């Protein structure tokens, strides 16, 4: 299982980033990218445990006596959820600030970008980032708390 996870997780994470970046023009985006990122974390949790990311990947000391609600990874997931909500609301209010309706989206063409030449940058990408953070933060908080019980 651990060998499979070492091969599978990077592939899932790259696919989630690709779907996230394609989402402002095509189906996908923040929600499905967040679900796939969460899937990669769940695979790590199944193969190892909740403390593996903190102790081995982030090289932090784990407090064995702390409850799951005080666990630093769970706190980071909750912060991601709150940050995502702020980004989603901020992207919606940005339209109101310039005199457009709530959640109005716009785009800009950038020319002369190396390799890509011409890129269309949509403000929907900011909204998708907020959705991505909400999905990752909420699902991983639930999975971490439930798995610790």
């Amino acid at each position: 299982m651990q060998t499979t996870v070492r091969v599978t997780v990077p592939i899932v994470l790259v696919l989630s980033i690709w779907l996230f970046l394609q989402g402002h023009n095509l189906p996908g985006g923040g929600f499905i990218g967040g679900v796939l990122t969460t899937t990669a974390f769940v695979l790590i949790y199944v193969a190892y445990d909740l403390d593996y990311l903190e102790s081995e990947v982030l090289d932090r000391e784990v407090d064995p006596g702390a409850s799951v609600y005080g666990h630093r990874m769970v706190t980071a997931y909750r912060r991601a959820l709150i940050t995502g909500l702020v980004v989603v609301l901020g992207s919606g209010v940005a339209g109101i600030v310039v005199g457009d309706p709530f959640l109005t989206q716009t785009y800009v063409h950038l020319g002369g970008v190396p390799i890509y030449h011409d890129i269309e940058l949509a403000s929907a990408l900011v909204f998708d980032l907020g959705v991505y953070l909400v999905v990752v933060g909420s699902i991983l908080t639930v999975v971490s708390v439930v798995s610790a019980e």
Side-chain angles (χ1 to χ4, degrees):
M1 177 72 177
Q2 292 178 350
T3 303
T4 304
V5 165
R6 289 178 190 262
V7 172
T8 307
V9 166
I11 295 169
V12 171
L13 289 175
V14 167
L15 180 62
S16 75
I17 292 169
W18 180 76
L19 284 171
F20 168 74
L21 292 175
Q22 292 298 315
H24 67 281
N25 287 329
L26 301 170
F31 182 78
I32 192 64
V35 169
L36 280 176
T37 300
T38 303
T39 303
F41 278 82
V42 169
L43 284 172
I44 292 170
Y45 289 159
V46 169
Y48 298 96
D49 63 357
L50 183 62
D51 295 330
Y52 176 78
L53 284 176
E54 191 158 345
S55 64
E56 300 298 323
V57 177
L58 299 175
D59 199 28
R60 296 181 190 161
E61 189 171 321
V62 177
D63 182 12
S67 74
V68 69
Y69 299 105
H71 200 280
R72 286 196 282 186
M73 292 304 292
V74 175
T75 304
Y77 300 149
R78 286 190 302 210
R79 285 186 187 143
L81 169 64
I82 293 168
T83 303
L85 288 173
V86 169
V87 169
V88 166
L89 288 175
S91 71
V93 172
I96 294 174
V97 170
V98 296
D100 291 332
F102 184 71
L103 281 177
T104 300
Q105 303 296 321
T106 187
Y107 63 93
V108 174
H109 283 283
L110 299 176
V113 178
I115 299 174
Y116 295 105
H117 305 292
D118 187 33
I119 293 179
E120 180 183 294
L121 220 83
S123 62
L125 191 62
V126 175
F127 178 79
D128 278 340
L129 175 64
V131 171
Y132 177 87
L133 290 172
V134 167
V135 169
V136 169
S138 60
I139 294 176
L140 285 178
T141 298
V142 170
V143 166
S144 298
V145 170
V146 169
S147 68
E149 297 294 323

